[in-house]
Amino acid sequence: MIRTLVIDDEQPARERLKQLLSAHPDVEIVGEADDGVQAAEKIAELSPDLVLLDIQMPGASGLDVAASLGKPRPAVIFCTAYDQYAVDAFELSALDYLLKPVNRARLAAALDRVRSSATVTTGRDRELEQLTQATGMAPTRFLAKRGNRFRVVPANEVVAFTFVEGVTHLLTATEQLSMQPTLASLARRLDAANFFQVSRNAIIRLDAVKEAKPFSDGTGEILLANGHTMIVARRRWRALLDKLET
């Protein structure tokens, strides 16, 4: 069975998708959501095999949701009324991109792609990893988790990202949230004009740096807007100063 989550902010669109899916006996609808934040929560809770995902939604867009996915990742089929997002969607390694109103034949073809990809889970994960490596798609907001709830954090509220004991954290001025993407995948997606990786385990937002103090061994220490200090690796110190001076 293909455990499927239907995500769209319009109930008639969800009902149509569920009706079309009912013609496929190997598809089980395990849930639905009507905004981006609820979508991320449902994906984390239900671990579906497939997500039918609208793009323009309240809270966080479908592209934001797809970019927040950790492993194991579901297959993603975007369903939208807007064709201008197609390039972005395929850079996010979506299995398909369906324009509304979705028709039976296109949905059936998309489901066949899901069935084929489901037999090669490792390959699908590798394809979806390209999502975090897509060029020209630096995120302007992030989905991060506090307890069992996701929060949308604008990029200008981020102080740093850290990786501690196998967990990626997003730090703001007042709180620490957890994230699903690895620090390495975040580093590939972030706007280099605004973020800088100071060590293997930390990325900072450049505007959040309040002080920079060099050490005699070539490393350095920075003071961030949330009061935290971080050590900057020797080979990154000079590059950081150059960034701060521009």
Side-chain angles (χ1 to χ4, degrees), residues 27-41:
V27 174
E28 176 190 5
I29 299 171
V30 295
E32 55 188 279
D34 60 10
D35 65 54
V37 175
Q38 186 183 68
E41 293 172 349

Side-chain angles (χ1 to χ4, degrees), residues 25 33-34 53 58 62 74 79 88-89 117 123-125 148 151-152 166 175 179 189-190 205-207 213:
D34 60 10
L53 185 58
C79 303
D88 288 351
S117 73
R124 189 175 72 200
D125 277 352
N148 293 322
R151 178 162 107 71
V152 179
E175 58 187 338
M179 300 182 71
R189 294 177 52 227
L190 293 171
R205 185 170 61 85
L206 291 164
D207 286 350
K213 176 183 178 181

Side-chain angles (χ1 to χ4, degrees), residues 73-177:
R73 299 179 173 111
V76 175
I77 296 174
F78 284 106
C79 303
T80 178
Y82 304 96
D83 60 3
Q84 69 263 36
Y85 297 109
V87 172
D88 288 351
F90 285 111
E91 283 184 335
L92 298 181
S93 297
L95 283 184
D96 214 330
Y97 185 97
L98 307 181
L99 285 175
K100 297 177 181 176
V102 175
N103 68 57
R104 295 180 186 277
R106 282 289 289 116
L107 179 59
L111 289 173
D112 282 342
R113 297 191 67 191
V114 174
R115 295 180 184 103
S116 297
S117 73
T119 63
V120 192
T121 304
T122 301
R124 189 175 72 200
D125 277 352
R126 188 163 53 246
E127 285 182 2
L128 283 166
E129 182 67 19
Q130 294 170 11
L131 159 66
T132 61
Q133 302 174 30
T135 59
M137 293 193 63
T140 58
R141 54 189 180 179
F142 303 89
L143 280 169
K145 200 171 184 181
R146 178 175 52 200
N148 293 322
R149 302 287 296 177
F150 281 84
R151 178 162 107 71
V152 179
V153 182
N156 61 6
E157 291 185 14
V158 175
V159 171
F161 300 99
T162 61
F163 187 73
V164 181
E165 296 182 352
V167 179
T168 303
H169 298 283
L170 184 156
L171 308 181
T172 71
T174 59
E175 58 187 338
Q176 174 177 288
L177 309 170

